[in-house]
Amino acid sequence: MKILVGYKRVVDYNVRIQVKPDGTGVVTDGVKLSANPFDDIALEEALRLRERGVAEEVVVVGIGPADLTAHLRNGLAMGANRAIHVQTADAVSPLTAARTFLKLVEKEQPGLVILGKQAIDDDANQTGQMLAALWDRPQATFASKVEIADGKATVTREVDAGLETIEAELPVVITTDLRLNEPRFIKLPDIMKAKSKPIDVIELGSLGVDVADHIKTIHYAAPPKRSKGVMVKDAAELVTALKQKGLL
Amino acid sequence: MTKILVIAEHLGGKLNGSTARAVSAAAAVKPDAIDVIVLSDAPDAVAAEAAKIDGVSKVLTIARAENAHSLAAVYAPQIVKVASGYTHVFVPSTTFGKDLAPRVAALLGVSQVSDVMSVEGPHTFKRPIYAGNAIVTVEVDATSTVVATIRTASWAAAASNGSAPVEPLNVEPLLPSHTRFVNLQQGKSDRPDLQGAPKVVSGGRGVGSKENFEIVYKFADKIGAAVGASRAAVDAGYVPNELQVGQTGKIIAPELYIAVGISGAIQHLTGIKDAGTIVAINKDGEAPIFEIADIGLVGDLFKILPELEAAIG
Ligand SMILES: Cc1cc2nc3c(=O)[nH]c(=O)nc-3n(C[C@H](O)[C@H](O)[C@H](O)COP(=O)(O)OP(=O)(O)OC[C@H]3O[C@@H](n4cnc5c(N)ncnc54)[C@H](O)[C@@H]3O)c2cc1C
Ligand SMILES: Cc1cc2nc3c(=O)[nH]c(=O)nc-3n(C[C@H](O)[C@H](O)[C@H](O)COP(=O)(O)OP(=O)(O)OC[C@H]3O[C@@H](n4cnc5c(N)ncnc54)[C@H](O)[C@@H]3O)c2cc1C
């Protein structure tokens, strides 16, 4: 079985993002970029399935500009067999990302596609579900446990009410939650080895994907700030303050 | 004509409070009609509850055995059939809605607006990106169906004085059988629901262990609060996952939020930005949580929580 993994590059989660004063975007020049944390988890899960003999090949996929290569090399260093770089200079909406993945799925015929539940830049939380819909296959979102056996995936999902388990026939689209696993660190020799692993570069324009976006972003703003509050010196003062506000 | 279809969330025969919040967001569009749709194997009780929500024009039900559990792959084709009569489809931005809405949007061939926090016009909305560190205004093409998830913390629940008619529907698209529900392990708790509670007490890594968390539960019970947690506390196994508050957990807006032994990482703060009053209790006076707390108290939580209980009397 082959596993396709979404491997998106995003602004690192430690960066406190700033909105440009003219409201046309956020400042991304010179900020640290990293793999979307949920995609590191997706890749880790795929690698573990390969190590357990469930899968033979793990392919990382990135959709983005020409300089994405170095990022994809990290995915290869972590252990993916090869990478596909769908190249585009334009911003890609989740629907376009899903349509792009569908083209790759048709070509690669994976048994599993593992994506992050959300990318921490746009926080859209859409791509996996959209891909599953377009592909007409099951989706198992927000996964915290995955078992593959007898042609099906048994997935435990983190839902608002607790933990839900569902069963789905392969091929399946899985999206990862935080507690699925702890991704491994990349070791130096692996970085060397990754240099010889293949990266297929495909122009997005050559895939025949409908890239129409129905949503335009017209303005960016900083969120309203909460003003700094007061400090109290002990429990008694805190109780008095809360009673004054009518909260106790 | 602007017509909005709101998808009801429910579990165990009870309507989830997030539905009335999505109706509030729908009302802000000032539409000609707001219809709520209930998919279930036995929708009557839930439909009766939904019919009471103010502003609802009618409640549609689809009763099918396959709808016993909210599987997105099963619900989506049915909603798509009904959606053709509507300009907007709104779903609460809960794990239910986040799972389902993109599947509906993709089948309709449209993009989705995630986490609507305000309505600026029938096709113009504000939503947070980068863990709430930026707010974008987005405009949906006027000719496309608007599929949106509604950030529940931004909207008060619509009141329940209405009496809309209930109308059973017969839509029979082919439903897939490739996805099956196995079970739901639900945290059993008599405490208020984290997402709707007016008061929440959350514990973080500072609480130290599952056993120590009792002190947080005890204090929460004293003031009638729901219990939440940071990701670190969930990862460490102190509490179950459904208690996680933050960017990748639950986004909440209680009147009172008390953070105990939580440092205040941006991913956590995103989940509580809309709280009325934030109280922080932390032994480190430099902890970032104090930057946004309305009331801060520096000290050891194991000493302070019992003192608070005593002081409340
Ligand atoms: C309004 C708007 C403005 C944008 N502005 C910019 C911009 O200025 N610069 C820019 O570079 N992009 C921009 N984008 C594109 C954006 O960064 C995302 O690629 C796109 O919106 C997908 O959303 P998401 O990643 O939040 O999706 P989600 O649904 O949250 O992503 C879930 C998962 O899908 C997979 N996935 C999604 N996209 C990719 C991808 N490109 N490559 C590999 N895997 C992927 C990953 O596994 C990811 O974890 C913009 C998008 C929108 C809608
Ligand atoms: C992709 C991603 C998504 C994330 N999503 C979330 C999310 O949704 N929600 C979330 O919460 N986090 C999330 N995080 C994690 C976040 O970055 C922080 O790691 C986490 O919130 C820290 O939890 P904490 O404050 O409990 O722990 P710590 O940062 O370790 O803080 C513990 C605090 O307890 C205090 N303390 C210790 N002992 C005592 C005592 N006896 N009395 C009083 N105070 C004491 C310490 O001074 C310290 O400030 C996410 C991270 C990533 C990368």
Side-chain angles (χ1 to χ4, degrees):
Chain A
M1 184 172 77
K2 190 190 288 183
I3 306 179
L4 285 195
V5 173
Y7 200 62
K8 190 184 173 189
R9 185 179 62 175
V10 297
V11 172
D12 188 84
Y13 78 95
N14 277 313
V15 173
R16 206 172 263 261
I17 204 82
Q18 301 289 332
V19 174
K20 290 181 187 160
D22 63 359
T24 58
V26 296
V27 180
T28 50
D29 291 342
V31 305
K32 184 177 176 207
L33 301 174
S34 304
N36 180 31
F38 291 98
D39 291 354
D40 268 336
I41 295 171
L43 177 51
E44 176 65 33
E45 196 63 19
L47 297 175
R48 289 185 190 186
L49 288 169
R50 191 186 64 196
E51 283 156 7
R52 286 208 293 273
V54 176
E56 292 82 46
E57 194 183 28
V58 175
V59 183
V60 284
V61 177
I63 309 166
D67 69 353
L68 209 61
T69 313
H71 161 72
L72 289 170
R73 289 260 174 242
N74 288 338
L76 295 173
M78 215 170 124
N81 300 76
R82 60 189 173 90
I84 301 176
H85 178 182
V86 180
Q87 208 165 306
T88 171
D90 299 327
V92 174
S93 73
L95 183 59
T96 302
R99 285 174 168 159
T100 306
F101 271 100
L102 182 66
K103 292 284 179 194
L104 301 180
V105 157
E106 284 163 356
K107 186 159 157 255
E108 300 281 345
Q109 302 285 322
L112 271 184
V113 178
I114 314 183
L115 305 181
K117 80 163 174 180
Q118 73 200 65
I120 60 163
D121 47 6
D122 285 306
D123 286 332
N125 199 326
Q126 301 176 10
T127 309
Q129 297 88 314
M130 287 183 160
L131 170 62
L134 300 174
W135 191 14
D136 202 9
R137 293 307 309 164
Q139 67 190 47
T141 52
F142 327 142
S144 67
K145 190 167 172 224
V146 174
E147 273 169 86
I148 309 288
D150 308 324
K152 42 176 221 250
T154 305
V155 179
T156 303
R157 309 175 53 229
E158 294 205 357
V159 295
D160 289 339
L163 292 171
E164 183 191 70
T165 304
I166 61 171
E167 212 176 71
E169 288 157 23
L170 301 180
V172 176
V173 178
I174 292 174
T175 76
T176 60
D177 216 316
L178 292 171
R179 279 165 284 276
L180 182 56
N181 60 50
E182 255 188 71
R184 65 196 66 186
F185 289 104
I186 298 170
K187 293 194 261 344
L188 202 56
D190 298 330
I191 296 175
M192 300 309 292
K193 260 190 271 170
K195 290 204 168 121
S196 59
K197 290 185 180 175
I199 301 182
D200 282 340
V201 180
I202 307 173
E203 278 298 324
L204 178 59
S206 73
L207 284 175
V209 173
D210 175 2
V211 296
D213 196 354
H214 314 93
I215 302 180
K216 266 205 309 279
T217 303
I218 52 177
H219 185 69
Y220 291 76
K225 276 213 168 53
R226 289 187 77 100
S227 50
K228 201 167 155 57
V230 297
M231 300 300 287
V232 292
K233 71 173 197 314
D234 59 24
E237 262 192 27
L238 177 55
V239 170
T240 308
L242 290 176
K243 282 193 171 150
Q244 266 166 10
K245 287 180 169 244
L247 290 167
L248 281 181
Chain B
M1 264 240 296
T2 309
K3 284 183 76 181
I4 304 185
L5 183 66
V6 174
I7 304 170
E9 172 169 2
H10 57 91
L11 183 65
K14 284 206 177 68
L15 186 70
N16 187 294
S18 60
T19 310
R21 293 173 189 260
V23 169
S24 292
V29 177
K30 304 200 175 62
D32 300 293
I34 302 173
D35 295 349
V36 174
I37 187 164
V38 180
L39 287 82
S40 170
D41 53 342
D44 294 353
V46 175
E49 268 189 272
K52 289 194 194 129
I53 302 175
D54 281 5
V56 172
S57 315
K58 63 183 178 207
V59 176
L60 309 170
T61 60
I62 304 180
R64 291 182 69 149
E66 296 93 328
N67 290 341
H69 302 286
S70 58
L71 296 170
V74 173
Y75 275 27
Q78 303 175 66
I79 291 162
V80 166
K81 284 254 169 181
V82 181
S84 58
Y86 293 85
T87 51
H88 297 62
V89 179
F90 280 11
V91 197
S93 189
T94 53
T95 51
F96 162 79
K98 290 173 180 173
D99 187 43
L100 176 59
R103 188 140 188 148
V104 172
L107 293 178
L108 291 172
V110 298
S111 301
Q112 173 190 303
V113 183
S114 296
D115 300 317
V116 168
M117 51 194 296
S118 83
V119 172
E120 308 291 309
H123 292 91
T124 314
F125 309 94
K126 287 192 176 166
R127 63 168 301 253
I129 57 171
Y130 289 102
N133 283 306
I135 311 293
V136 288
T137 308
V138 297
E139 208 171 70
V140 184
D141 203 57
T143 57
S144 314
T145 309
V146 177
V147 176
T149 61
I150 306 302
R151 184 176 182 273
T152 53
S154 301
W155 301 90
S160 274
N161 309 308
S163 57
V166 177
E167 191 178 297
L169 290 183
N170 264 322
V171 289
E172 310 228 313
L174 215 55
L175 297 183
S177 57
H178 52 45
T179 312
R180 288 173 293 276
F181 172 85
V182 178
N183 65 41
L184 175 66
Q185 280 170 264
Q186 225 176 327
K188 283 262 178 310
S189 161
D190 302 330
R191 296 191 178 85
D193 173 47
L194 179 55
Q195 258 157 331
K199 295 176 195 168
V200 173
V201 180
S202 281
R205 199 195 317 262
V207 178
S209 70
K210 193 173 173 174
E211 293 68 38
N212 288 354
F213 230 86
E214 275 311 315
I215 196 171
V216 177
Y217 285 121
K218 194 157 159 274
F219 176 65
D221 290 345
K222 176 85 187 182
I223 63 166
V227 173
S230 70
R231 173 187 172 187
V234 177
D235 282 1
Y238 305 170
V239 292
N241 65 282
E242 64 266 23
L243 297 195
Q244 183 176 316
V245 172
Q247 181 187 12
T248 54
K250 286 178 179 156
I251 312 274
I252 57 174
E255 288 158 32
L256 174 63
Y257 186 79
I258 304 184
V260 182
I262 291 178
S263 63
I266 56 170
Q267 293 87 2
H268 187 78
L269 301 184
T270 304
I272 58 169
K273 273 193 181 140
D274 298 303
T277 297
I278 297 175
V279 175
I281 300 170
N282 195 304
K283 69 175 181 191
D284 173 8
E286 302 296 311
I289 187 90
F290 289 120
E291 297 288 319
I292 63 126
D294 299 287
I295 309 176
L297 175 51
V298 178
D300 185 345
L301 69 97
F302 298 105
K303 185 167 156 283
I304 290 172
L305 288 185
E307 285 175 0
L308 280 175
E309 276 183 52
I312 291 164

